[in-house]
């Protein structure tokens, strides 16, 4: 018997502006660069910066330290409403064309 893996429907998509609501980067905002579906995490531009150690190579014989964005769990992020600029919860409802679309629960506007 095959085990089915259940995919979650996330409230965040690549390209959304989000606000971090908990953790070391609390209060920072940024644009989502990537959503890691298998791990329930997202990479946000300029948030949760970590230091990556690069080994020496032929092109870079000295090696180096590089600052890169680490991933953040989806539950620690809230979508920022483009109309008001505030963090908001999201829902889904039918738009004028009969298609499900995300909307802001604070303002009621579609995102």
């Amino acid at each position: 018997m095959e085990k089915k893996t259940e995919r979650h429907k996330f409230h965040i998509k690549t390209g959304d502006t989000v606000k971090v609501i908990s953790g070391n980067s609390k209060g920072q905002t940024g644009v989502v660069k990537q959503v890691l579906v298998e791990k329930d995490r997202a990479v946000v531009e300029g948030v949760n910066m970590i230091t990556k150690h690069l080994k020496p190579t032929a092109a870079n014989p000295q090696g180096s330290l590089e600052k890169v964005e680490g991933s953040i769990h989806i539950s620690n992020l809230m979508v920022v409403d483009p109309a008001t600029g505030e963090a908001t919860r999201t829902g889904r409802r039918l738009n004028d064309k009969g298609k499900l679309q995300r909307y802001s629960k604070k303002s009621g506007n579609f995102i």
Side-chain angles (χ1 to χ4, degrees):
M1 186 179 224
E2 268 187 54
K3 185 178 181 184
K4 290 185 180 180
T5 55
E6 193 175 316
R7 274 191 64 206
H8 300 288
K9 188 78 170 174
F10 293 133
H11 62 283
I12 289 172
K13 293 182 179 180
T14 303
D16 283 348
T17 303
V18 294
K19 183 175 185 176
V20 181
I21 58 172
S22 70
N24 291 339
S25 303
K26 182 177 180 176
Q28 293 182 355
T29 59
V31 177
V32 177
K33 291 170 87 176
Q34 182 182 14
V35 177
L36 307 170
V37 177
E38 305 81 32
K39 296 182 178 179
D40 295 352
R41 298 175 82 80
V43 177
V44 182
E45 198 172 290
V47 177
N48 192 28
M49 299 302 285
I50 59 172
T51 304
K52 185 175 181 180
H53 297 255
L54 297 176
K55 279 185 166 183
T57 61
N60 184 14
Q62 192 66 32
S64 63
L65 297 174
E66 193 177 272
K67 291 274 189 182
V68 294
E69 290 100 357
S71 63
I72 300 174
H73 198 272
I74 292 282
S75 66
N76 296 332
L77 300 173
M78 274 185 103
V79 176
V80 174
D81 186 359
T84 62
E86 293 180 10
T88 180
R89 291 182 298 136
T90 59
R92 288 184 199 86
R93 68 174 175 215
L94 293 173
N95 62 8
D96 302 334
K97 298 171 187 166
K99 189 171 182 183
L100 271 182
Q101 190 176 352
R102 294 181 304 159
Y103 74 97
S104 163
K105 290 208 173 182
K106 260 188 186 171
S107 67
N109 298 331
F110 285 110
I111 296 174

